Amino acid sequence: MDYLSQGVTQALALLLHMDAATLSAITATLVSTAYAMTAAMLLGLPCGFALGYYDFPGKRCLRLISDTLLAFPTVLIGLLVYAFITYRGPLGEYGLLFTLPGMAIGQAVLALPIVISWTAQAVEGLDPRCRQTLLTLGASGAQVAWGSLKEARYEIGMVCVTAFGRVITEVGIAMMLGGNIRYETRTMTTAIALETSKGEFAQGIALGLVLLLMAFVVNLALAVLRRRGRGDHGRRGGGA
């Protein structure tokens, strides 16, 4: 196990000395994830809210499709997006293949069903008395929708944090669409896979430690949101 202890020691040295390749992988991961999450939230939150809040023809079918896409194989997502952004594809003229924005498109597709389905579930789980109370007080349709959205804010926050954790740890999409180009599109997950296959454990362990720290922060945020959500529900229940 000496190689493992040496790898940890070297990994800490890489982080402390701000190794360029390690920082580049961290930066690429955060940038692509930020792009993907921004797109997924801008598209997914309104769609998920509408899917959970309103009744309309075809709602069950759309919900079934969204829930099914939660299990969409990531390698298939990578393949489909690759077909669109490759140089011979419909979006080939934009030069997105093997770039961070191109990689972020695939990651956004991965996150979108999570945001839509779980936002819809959060809205459907609201106490129906909330809407009735707002209507009784004379609120307009828009005010009722906004009040319901505020009521589900902690649950929606947990949805976004969960989607973030799913996106930032993705390997297949990042490899297929980003190309794993050093100092450009190499992310933490693809760098870990590459360095481990080469027998170079130090950088892989260093990036693994960073991912572990991010996972801790994500779970801490989830715990805080859950606690606040329970606290708000408890206060409302006690007031009732």
Side-chain angles (χ1 to χ4, degrees), residues 26-42 100-101 103-105 107-108 111 160 163-165 167-169 187-188 214:
I26 295 172
T27 301
T29 301
L30 294 176
V31 169
S32 65
T33 301
Y35 288 158
M37 287 305 302
T38 299
M41 288 189 293
L42 288 176
L100 291 179
M103 187 165 58
I105 292 174
Q107 293 171 328
C160 295
F164 173 84
V167 168
I168 204 168
T169 56
T187 64
M188 288 189 286
M214 290 182 177

Side-chain angles (χ1 to χ4, degrees), residues 95-177:
L96 294 169
L97 188 62
F98 303 144
T99 65
L100 291 179
M103 187 165 58
I105 292 174
Q107 293 171 328
V109 173
L110 173 66
L112 197 56
I114 299 174
V115 176
I116 292 176
S117 289
W118 290 9
T119 298
Q121 183 176 339
V123 173
E124 288 172 348
L126 290 175
D127 190 337
R129 292 176 298 179
C130 174
R131 185 187 303 189
Q132 295 170 0
T133 300
L134 290 172
L135 290 172
T136 302
L137 294 174
S140 64
Q143 289 172 328
V144 172
W146 176 248
S148 300
L149 183 62
K150 289 177 64 177
E151 187 77 7
R153 62 189 181 277
Y154 294 123
E155 289 80 2
I156 292 174
M158 287 191 287
V159 170
C160 295
V161 171
T162 303
F164 173 84
R166 183 70 180 88
V167 168
I168 204 168
T169 56
E170 172 54 33
V171 181
I173 292 174
M175 190 77 75
M176 292 180 69
L177 302 179

Side-chain angles (χ1 to χ4, degrees), residues 178-193:
N180 201 20
I181 303 171
R182 193 176 189 185
Y183 296 121
E184 292 188 29
T185 61
R186 181 169 296 174
T187 64
M188 288 189 286
T189 52
T190 58
I192 290 172

